[in-house]
Amino acid sequence: AQSVTQLDSHVSVSEGTPVLLRCNYSSSYSPSLFWYVQHPNKGLQLLLKYTSAATLVKGINGFEAEFKKSETSFHLTKPSAHMSDAAEYFCVVSERRISSGSARQLTFGSGTQLTVLP
Amino acid sequence: GAGVSQSPRYKVAKRGQDVALRCDPISGHVSLFWYQQALGQGPEFLTYFQNEAQLDKSGLPSDRFFAERPEGSVSTLKIQRTQQEDSAVYLCASSLLDRISTYEQYFGPGTRLTVT
């Protein structure tokens, strides 16, 4: 079974300082992992994805994440926070195939609310 | 280009009423997913369509929940005899179904359902 644990429900940083959002996963097989961002009243947007290629994944808006199999972690980082980064972030794992097809079910973590202080 | 759209964006229903939530996926997307997002939680999978076929409905919380996609494009999620615990944001997502894109789902803005 697949599951995701986001270790912090709220993270607060000052503008211009680094961001670290932590995520641990559990999966029986080699998973695909994602980070999505959700701004108020907007749809979930894919930030980046890991699908068994390079372990360091670069995404949009300067975010990146590193897949560490030994630690079952997929933490999201950004060197310098911007006010526009304030949003809810979700770590997501995809392993389970749906029925007999190739579509896969996404399992979301409970989210981390990022606040950026001026 | 046009993304996934959902309507209505907000719905208030009295307990016991039936509601219907609509999803317009991205044109050409074979896969369509419904998720339920309770307040302060991450989205949870409800059901999946490949074209018009509902291949997985294991996440539907009760037999009051019913989804359809009769022509393989627009989908409707119906909730009968709504209860207060049904209050949540209902998200729709669509994706292509090829080897590269099977993992990437595009989400709509959601419908916020409040049952009073």
Side-chain angles (χ1 to χ4, degrees), chain B residues 62-105:
Chain B
S62 79
D63 58 7
R64 296 186 295 104
F65 286 70
F66 172 76
E68 60 183 6
R69 194 186 185 196
E71 297 179 359
S73 55
V74 171
S75 177
T76 304
L77 176 67
K78 298 179 180 178
I79 308 173
Q80 297 176 326
R81 304 181 303 281
T82 52
Q83 304 294 315
Q84 282 195 317
E85 61 262 28
D86 300 335
S87 296
V89 176
Y90 291 86
L91 297 168
C92 176
S94 70
S95 72
L96 294 167
L97 193 67
D98 57 57
R99 187 179 63 84
I100 303 299
S101 303
T102 52
Y103 309 112
E104 188 161 346
Q105 297 180 20

Side-chain angles (χ1 to χ4, degrees), chain A residues 36 38 41 49 96 103-104, chain B residues 10 48 56 103-105:
Chain A
Y36 278 83
Q38 188 175 40
N41 298 317
K49 61 183 177 183
R96 174 180 171 266
R104 293 171 184 265
Chain B
Y10 303 90
Y48 166 72
D56 192 318
Y103 309 112
E104 188 161 346
Q105 297 180 20

Side-chain angles (χ1 to χ4, degrees), chain A:
Chain A
Q2 58 187 26
S3 66
V4 171
T5 301
Q6 291 185 243
L7 300 168
D8 306 293
S9 58
H10 291 87
V11 170
S12 183
V13 301
S14 297
E15 190 175 21
T17 64
V19 175
L20 170 63
L21 305 183
R22 298 182 295 165
C23 172
N24 287 98
Y25 70 91
S26 172
S27 175
S28 303
Y29 307 103
S30 296
S32 294
L33 294 159
F34 311 80
W35 278 96
Y36 278 83
V37 61
Q38 188 175 40
H39 290 274
N41 298 317
K42 291 190 176 181
L44 285 157
Q45 182 184 18
L46 180 66
L47 275 180
L48 50 80
K49 61 183 177 183
Y50 166 77
T51 55
S52 74
T55 57
L56 183 61
V57 182
K58 294 187 184 299
I60 62 172
N61 301 334
F63 284 94
E64 61 182 40
E66 186 171 7
F67 173 71
K68 292 187 176 180
K69 187 174 181 179
S70 61
E71 299 176 9
T72 61
S73 69
F74 190 58
H75 301 334
L76 181 70
T77 60
K78 182 174 180 177
S80 176
H82 192 273
M83 295 296 289
S84 61
D85 294 329
E88 184 100 23
Y89 291 79
F90 292 96
C91 183
V92 183
V93 63
S94 174
E95 168 204 288
R96 174 180 171 266
R97 289 181 181 275
I98 294 177
S99 187
S100 59
S102 57
R104 293 171 184 265
Q105 178 184 330
L106 300 184
T107 297
F108 285 75
S110 56
T112 298
Q113 181 68 46
L114 176 64
T115 299
V116 182
L117 304 171

